[in-house]
Amino acid sequence: GEPSGHRRVGFTAAVGSTAMAAWRELVVTSLHADGNLDDYDSDADSDCGENDSEAEAEAHRLPLYIPPLQRQKWSDLEHPLPHINWGDLFFDLFYVAAAYNLGALLISSMTPDLWPRGVLYFVGIFGPLFNAWESKLVYEARYAVVDYFHRIVEVVRVFFLSFSVLHIKPIELMSDPRSAETFFFTLGLLLECCVRIFLKIELIRVGNGDREAIRNHSRRKLTFSYVPLALFYLAAVIISGVAYSRQDDPNRGGSYGDEDGGYDGGKGDDYDGSKGDDYDDGPDDGHRRFLAAAALAPASELGNYSAHFTIADLPVILC
C-alpha cells in the first residue's frame, strides 16, 4: 500500500484545495450580488478551456487583499464554515506559555502578605489575555479572510500578544516600578488592541456582506468595548512608563531587593537581579529555586518591598 505519510500529505492537500475552491466560489457569488463582477463571467467564459492547468493554478493562488466577507447562512451545507488552521494553533500556543507564567506568578505570591496581590495580578493579567483570544474567535466566526494582507496582520497581532506573555513574571518583578515587566506587558496589550480597532474600522469601510449589520455591529464594538479598553491600556502604559523612567532616582528605594536591585531572601544567591536574568543551575532549575525562595521568604526579608497596594499596582488594575 501507499505509505501513511503520503496519504496524510494527499489528504491535507485535498482539504486545502476544497477549502480554497469554496472560498473563491463564495467571494465570486458575493461580488456578483453586488454587481461588481459583470465582466468577470464573459472574460472567464472566453478563456475557458484555453489552459486548464494555468486556470487551476490561479484558482489556488492567494490574493494580495480581499475585503473581509461576512459569513452567512450557517445552515447551508455549501457555505464554508470556519476551520482550524496552523495560524490558529500557533496563536493558541502562546496561551500555554501564559498559563505557565501565570502559575509562576501565583507561586511567587504564596505568602500570607502577598496572596491578595497575587490574586489581583492573576485576574488583571488573565482577563486581558482572554479578551484578546475571545475577540479573535468572534472575528473569525463572523468574517472570512484568506489573503496575504490579513495574514500579515495576524502575524503582527501574534507578535504583540507574545510581547505581553513574555513579560509575565513573578509578583516581585511585576509590582516593582524599577522593573520594565509591567510597562512592556501593558504596551503589548495596547498594541494588540489597536490591531482590533483597525480591523473594525476596515469592516466599517469595506466589509462585504450585510453592510448595515456590519457597520452597526462594528461601531457598537468600537464605541462600547475596544476604544474604552484601549484608553485603559493607554493609561496603564503611561503610569507604568513614568514609574519605570524614574528608576534612576536614588531617593526612591527598591521594592524587592537590596541596593543593587537583586532579590535576596536569605536562601543563598540563586537569583541575583544585578546579573540580569541568569540563574546558577540552568533556566528551569534556577527559576524554580527563585520562586520557591520568594514564596518561603518572610516579608521582612524582601527589603523595601511593601505588601500593601501601591501606585505600582494601578496599571494591572486598569487592565
Side-chain angles (χ1 to χ4, degrees):
E2 186 179 4
S4 59
H6 291 173
R7 289 197 298 269
R8 286 195 297 268
V9 172
F11 174 77
T12 303
V15 171
S17 300
T18 303
M20 182 58 66
W23 159 254
R24 290 181 61 85
E25 181 181 357
L26 181 63
V27 171
V28 170
T29 302
S30 176
L31 294 179
H32 266 302
D34 294 340
N36 296 326
L37 280 184
D38 294 337
D39 299 332
Y40 179 83
D41 286 338
S42 59
D43 294 340
D45 293 340
S46 61
D47 296 336
C48 181
E50 291 184 358
N51 195 333
D52 293 339
S53 59
E54 293 183 3
E56 183 179 358
E58 179 68 22
H60 299 296
R61 184 177 302 170
L62 282 179
L64 179 62
Y65 176 79
I66 288 181
L69 180 64
Q70 184 183 31
R71 299 184 188 273
Q72 298 174 340
K73 300 179 180 180
W74 285 81
S75 60
D76 190 352
L77 297 179
E78 297 181 357
H79 188 88
L81 298 178
H83 63 281
I84 301 299
N85 52 51
W86 291 111
D88 295 331
L89 296 178
F90 184 71
F91 184 85
D92 293 341
L93 283 178
F94 289 97
Y95 284 85
V96 178
Y100 177 84
N101 291 342
L102 283 173
L105 184 146
L106 283 179
I107 292 176
S108 67
S109 62
M110 292 177 60
T111 64
D113 295 331
L114 298 182
W115 73 264
R117 176 176 285 171
V119 173
L120 173 66
Y121 271 71
F122 180 88
V123 175
I125 293 174
F126 177 81
L129 296 179
F130 175 81
N131 194 8
W133 174 83
E134 187 265 348
S135 65
K136 184 177 186 299
L137 178 68
V138 172
Y139 181 87
E140 293 186 350
R142 287 178 175 270
Y143 307 99
V145 286
V146 182
D147 57 13
Y148 284 112
F149 175 80
H150 288 94
R151 285 189 175 186
I152 295 175
V153 171
E154 286 303 317
V155 170
V156 174
R157 189 177 192 176
V158 169
F159 174 78
F160 293 151
L161 173 67
S162 64
F163 198 70
S164 294
V165 172
L166 176 65
H167 290 89
I168 301 176
K169 297 297 177 65
I171 190 71
E172 289 81 10
L173 296 178
M174 293 292 295
S175 59
D176 180 18
R178 297 184 305 171
S179 175
E181 309 303 338
T182 301
F183 170 71
F184 287 119
F185 171 77
T186 54
L187 179 61
L189 293 179
L190 174 62
L191 295 176
E192 192 277 335
C193 190
C194 290
V195 174
R196 284 186 256 170
I197 293 176
F198 167 77
L199 292 176
K200 286 300 179 182
I201 295 177
E202 180 194 27
L203 287 173
I204 293 175
R205 296 183 62 87
V206 298
N208 199 347
D210 188 343
R211 296 290 301 149
E212 183 177 0
I214 292 175
R215 288 172 179 167
N216 291 338
H217 178 265
S218 300
R219 288 171 179 168
R220 185 166 57 250
K221 272 291 186 179
L222 284 176
T223 304
F224 297 103
S225 180
Y226 292 166
V227 172
L229 194 62
L231 294 178
F232 277 104
Y233 289 161
L234 178 61
V237 170
I238 294 175
I239 295 174
S240 58
V242 170
Y244 177 65
S245 65
R246 299 175 58 232
Q247 61 177 329
D248 295 332
D249 188 352
N251 297 323
R252 293 180 64 238
S255 62
Y256 71 100
D258 50 15
E259 294 180 353
D260 61 359
Y263 171 79
D264 184 6
K267 307 297 181 181
D269 58 354
D270 292 322
Y271 177 79
D272 186 0
S274 63
K275 300 177 182 179
D277 289 336
D278 296 327
Y279 303 97
D280 292 339
D281 300 323
D284 293 335
D285 186 62
H287 190 60
R288 288 193 297 269
R289 288 174 179 268
F290 165 64
L291 294 178
L296 297 176
S300 61
E301 295 183 1
L302 294 178
N304 296 326
Y305 180 78
S306 174
H308 302 287
F309 293 102
T310 64
I311 190 66
D313 303 317
L314 186 57
V316 176
I317 296 177
L318 291 175
C319 293

